[in-house]
Amino acid sequence: MRAARLTILTAVTTLAALAQPAQATSGWYLNAAGTGWSDASFVSSLNVAGAGFIEQAFSWQALGFAFEEHGAYQIVGAPASSHDLTVSYNIAGEVGLLSNGFTGGVIDLYSDSVFDFGSTNGSYGANNGTHIASFAVTGGQIDPLTRLVGLQANLVGGSMASGYFFDVAGNDLSDRGGISLSMGVQSTIIDPTGTHIVSELACEQAGFTGAGCNGRPYRASFLNLGWSTVQDTGVATLNIPALSQPVTAVPEPTTALMMLTGLLGLAARQRFKKG
């Protein structure tokens, strides 16, 4: 069982790496408190964990389903700091025979001096800190069977606050163009009982008006095609172009999906051997 989990984690990490431009740096420096380069720590990737609420409906265009997801992540395992890093996101996409991937969305990153993620402060305690960056979703791949997700997004120009992110030479990235975000996530459908997921992410953030938000109890069901609550874990990386080199194109979606399929095959083979 442990080997299978490690294989899945490797698949997620590799999927995130697929979208990195060839000329991107292999790491950067992060100061979650925003106090400058002298207090920054080197990182090559960040682990994320959180929850989301998904609404979906049949789509003729995709010959499958169109969906919207609202949620929140916390950066876990980041360098020790007096500030928490949290994410609030709203994304949309399609999963079907004719279309598979993301059609848009925004990912907002916050620095918070109060570690209240998962609470009722702000929206799930994820968007009540200092806004330090926004990323516009540009594409990605989704495997509906394994619920492995690969996502790419570009930094919104002028949205990165100074004092938080630096390249390996100590240059503040707030004025750098061409920065993008790659993320690989494993998503699991969950029963949100005992959490603030429904009240905060479904009712407040997504504006859902169904069960759980209209006075009737929320009933989790793995067979429900209309909406669901999920728990996510994954890896996020920043793709930072060198000062003297342009950003190269990310891999074609078909190439990335082929790589993802291969990785899933390796995971399945490992589980078969263990069995």
Side-chain angles (χ1 to χ4, degrees), residues 9 21 45 60 71 148 150-151 201 203 235 260:
L9 180 58
S45 63
W60 284 106
L148 274 173
L151 178 147
L201 302 183
C203 307
V235 179
L260 173 59

Side-chain angles (χ1 to χ4, degrees), residues 5 39 42 116 183 185:
R5 289 177 179 172
D39 297 320
F42 179 81
D116 57 358
M183 187 180 299
V185 172

Side-chain angles (χ1 to χ4, degrees), residues 171-189:
N171 300 303
D172 197 306
L173 295 176
S174 60
D175 296 325
R176 184 80 61 87
I179 295 176
S180 63
L181 172 74
S182 298
M183 187 180 299
V185 172
Q186 173 72 69
S187 184
T188 304
I189 298 176

Side-chain angles (χ1 to χ4, degrees), residues 1-14 267 270:
M1 185 67 176
R2 178 178 174 80
R5 289 177 179 172
L6 289 175
T7 304
I8 289 295
L9 180 58
T10 301
V12 173
T13 305
T14 305
Q270 180 109 14

